[in-house]
Amino acid sequence: MRYEKNKMRVVIGPCCPTIFAPKEDFGLHHSNSFWILKGFRLPVGLVSCNGYANHPSLLGIELLNEPSASRVPLDVLISYYSKGYQIVQKYSSSAYVIICQRIGNADPLELYQANIGFSNIVVDLHYYNLFDTFFVNMSAADNIEYILKSRQTQLQVLNKANGPLVFIGEWVNEWTVTNGSQVDYQDFGRSQLEVYDTASFGWAYWTLKNYRKHWDFEWNINNNYLQLGESSKQKISSGAWLLALAYWCLNLDYIL
C-alpha cells in the first residue's frame, strides 16, 4: 500500500455518513452538532478499527469534527468522547484517539480537565484568523501579532498541561486582509509555522488542494506564499508529523 511504502501514517477523520451534519442545519458544512451526540452514534471509523487496529499505517482516529459550543453541552460531549475512547482502546492500545475542541466560546482546557483517557489521547485545535468578527478589521501586522502572542501563549499552556497532546488539526494561510502582499502572506505563514511547529502532536494544513488558492497547500508552496522552515521540512520528510489533509472524510479501504 502506498502509505506503508512511503512510511506515512493515517488519521481516520470523522466526516462519514453517520455523523455528517448538513450545512443548512448547522451553519458549517463540516461541523457536527447535538442531535448526533445525544444518541451516542459513534463514527463508522471506530467500527472499522476492529479490522485495521494492527495496520502499521494507522496512527489514530478522530471522534468528531468541530462540535459547536452553543449547541453541544460539555457533559454530553465528554460522555461521547469517553465512549469513543473506550472503543478505540478496546481494539488498539497504540492508536491515538483525537478529540476536537468545541468551536465558539469554549476553552480547550475543558477537555484536559475531563479525564477522558490516560494515554494516547490528543486534543485537536482549529486555528483560523477567519469566521469571527474579531478578525475583520485587523491589519496584516495585527494578525501576525495575534499568532505570536495569543496563539503561542495558549499552545505553551496546553503543551505543559498534564494529559492530552496538542494537534493543530486545521489552519490556513488566509485571513480577512483584503490588500495583503505576497510578503505579508509570507510573514503570516512564517509566524503560523513558527508557533504551530511547537504543538506536541504536530499540525495539518487545510487543505492539500482547493479552488481557493490560499487554502491550497500546494499552490502556497509552489507560488512561494508559504515558506517552510527547516524544522517543518525535517518533520515532514521524516514522516513524524501530519502535513496536508486533503479530506477528513476518506474511505478506510481506499486509504489502507
Side-chain angles (χ1 to χ4, degrees), residues 125 127 129 143-159 166-168 171 187-203 229 231-232 235 241:
L125 306 181
Y127 277 166
N129 283 28
N143 276 274
I144 291 170
E145 183 179 27
Y146 182 80
I147 298 295
L148 295 177
K149 290 187 176 179
S150 296
R151 293 254 167 86
Q152 187 171 53
T153 298
Q154 184 178 58
L155 268 179
Q156 288 172 344
V157 170
L158 296 179
N159 275 329
V166 185
F167 176 42
I168 311 304
W171 67 278
D187 291 342
F188 183 53
R190 186 180 304 112
S191 299
Q192 292 191 90
L193 285 168
E194 178 184 323
V195 173
Y196 304 162
D197 269 353
T198 66
S200 53
F201 195 74
W203 54 261
S231 175
S232 296
K235 287 164 183 170
W241 282 23

Side-chain angles (χ1 to χ4, degrees), residues 61-90:
I61 291 177
E62 178 143 16
L63 301 181
L64 194 67
N65 186 55
E66 296 188 344
S68 168
S70 63
R71 296 171 182 253
V72 182
L74 181 60
D75 61 332
V76 174
L77 185 65
I78 290 173
S79 179
Y80 175 87
Y81 281 160
S82 297
K83 290 174 185 291
Y85 178 84
Q86 292 167 12
I87 291 174
V88 176
Q89 285 284 298
K90 176 181 177 181

Side-chain angles (χ1 to χ4, degrees), residues 14-202:
C15 293
C16 49
T18 60
I19 65 166
F20 184 78
K23 181 177 181 181
E24 60 270 24
D25 286 346
F26 304 114
L28 296 175
H29 70 279
H30 55 303
S31 297
N32 307 132
S33 201
F34 179 61
W35 72 273
I36 298 162
L37 295 176
K38 63 184 179 181
F40 299 113
R41 285 165 44 186
L42 296 167
V44 166
L46 298 183
V47 179
S48 301
C49 189
N50 190 21
Y52 295 104
N54 296 315
H55 196 288
S57 292
L58 180 63
L59 177 62
I61 291 177
E62 178 143 16
L63 301 181
L64 194 67
N65 186 55
E66 296 188 344
S68 168
S70 63
R71 296 171 182 253
V72 182
L74 181 60
D75 61 332
V76 174
L77 185 65
I78 290 173
S79 179
Y80 175 87
Y81 281 160
S82 297
K83 290 174 185 291
Y85 178 84
Q86 292 167 12
I87 291 174
V88 176
Q89 285 284 298
K90 176 181 177 181
Y91 295 121
S92 173
S93 60
S94 61
Y96 286 91
V97 180
I98 303 173
I99 57 176
C100 188
Q101 68 174 115
R102 290 197 297 168
I103 301 300
N105 187 21
D107 188 335
L109 268 175
E110 65 188 15
L111 297 179
Y112 285 77
Q113 299 164 351
N115 297 318
I116 292 168
F118 299 101
S119 63
N120 287 27
I121 188 163
V122 179
V123 170
D124 176 13
L125 306 181
H126 294 180
Y127 277 166
Y128 292 102
N129 283 28
L130 297 162
F131 311 125
D132 193 312
T133 55
F134 176 79
F135 299 106
V136 170
N137 294 316
M138 279 190 176
S139 65
D142 291 336
N143 276 274
I144 291 170
E145 183 179 27
Y146 182 80
I147 298 295
L148 295 177
K149 290 187 176 179
S150 296
R151 293 254 167 86
Q152 187 171 53
T153 298
Q154 184 178 58
L155 268 179
Q156 288 172 344
V157 170
L158 296 179
N159 275 329
K160 293 177 181 178
N162 291 327
L165 299 174
V166 185
F167 176 42
I168 311 304
E170 291 186 23
W171 67 278
V172 68
N173 198 34
E174 185 59 298
W175 47 16
T176 60
V177 177
T178 56
N179 59 347
S181 66
Q182 182 177 24
V183 172
D184 288 333
Y185 274 98
Q186 289 172 345
D187 291 342
F188 183 53
R190 186 180 304 112
S191 299
Q192 292 191 90
L193 285 168
E194 178 184 323
V195 173
Y196 304 162
D197 269 353
T198 66
S200 53
F201 195 74

